[in-house]
Amino acid sequence: MFNADQTTGATLASIRRQTYQVLGLVAVDDGSTDGSASIVTAYAEKDQRIQRLRKENGGVAAARNLGAAAMAAEFLHLSTRTIVGLRLRLRFR
């Protein structure tokens, strides 16, 4: 995320509401200068599945690569702040 404090809370809340509960969430702070990091930290304190990584601003590809490398999962879903309006559903079939 980069300076996404307007949508970070809603995005995290949407992901936390998924019916598939065995998930981990890595939020990569790509050098934000707004309140995005503190929003993620507040969610992480309430939900052990959420982890925040911080790096200097380097662009979306570098942030996604860092986040993907931090995950030890069979499946990976990359989300952006634009998913707030979508009804994302993660399910194991």
Side-chain angles (χ1 to χ4, degrees), residues 9-44:
T11 300
L12 293 174
S14 173
I15 293 170
R16 286 184 68 214
R17 285 192 302 267
Q18 298 308 303
T19 58
Y20 184 66
Q21 293 297 309
V22 184
L23 60 87
L25 190 152
V26 174
V28 179
D29 177 6
D30 192 24
S32 294
T33 57
D34 65 357
S36 302
S38 61
I39 294 168
V40 175
T41 299
Y43 272 86

Side-chain angles (χ1 to χ4, degrees), residues 25-81:
L25 190 152
V26 174
V28 179
D29 177 6
D30 192 24
S32 294
T33 57
D34 65 357
S36 302
S38 61
I39 294 168
V40 175
T41 299
Y43 272 86
E45 289 173 353
K46 294 185 274 188
D47 190 330
Q48 66 182 6
R49 300 173 301 167
I50 299 173
Q51 158 184 343
R52 181 176 69 93
L53 301 178
R54 177 151 174 80
K55 61 180 278 317
E56 289 186 29
N57 183 260
V60 67
R64 285 182 171 190
N65 288 341
L66 178 64
M71 293 299 297
E74 184 175 0
F75 303 105
L76 178 66
H77 174 80
L78 301 173
S79 296
T80 65
R81 61 183 163 177

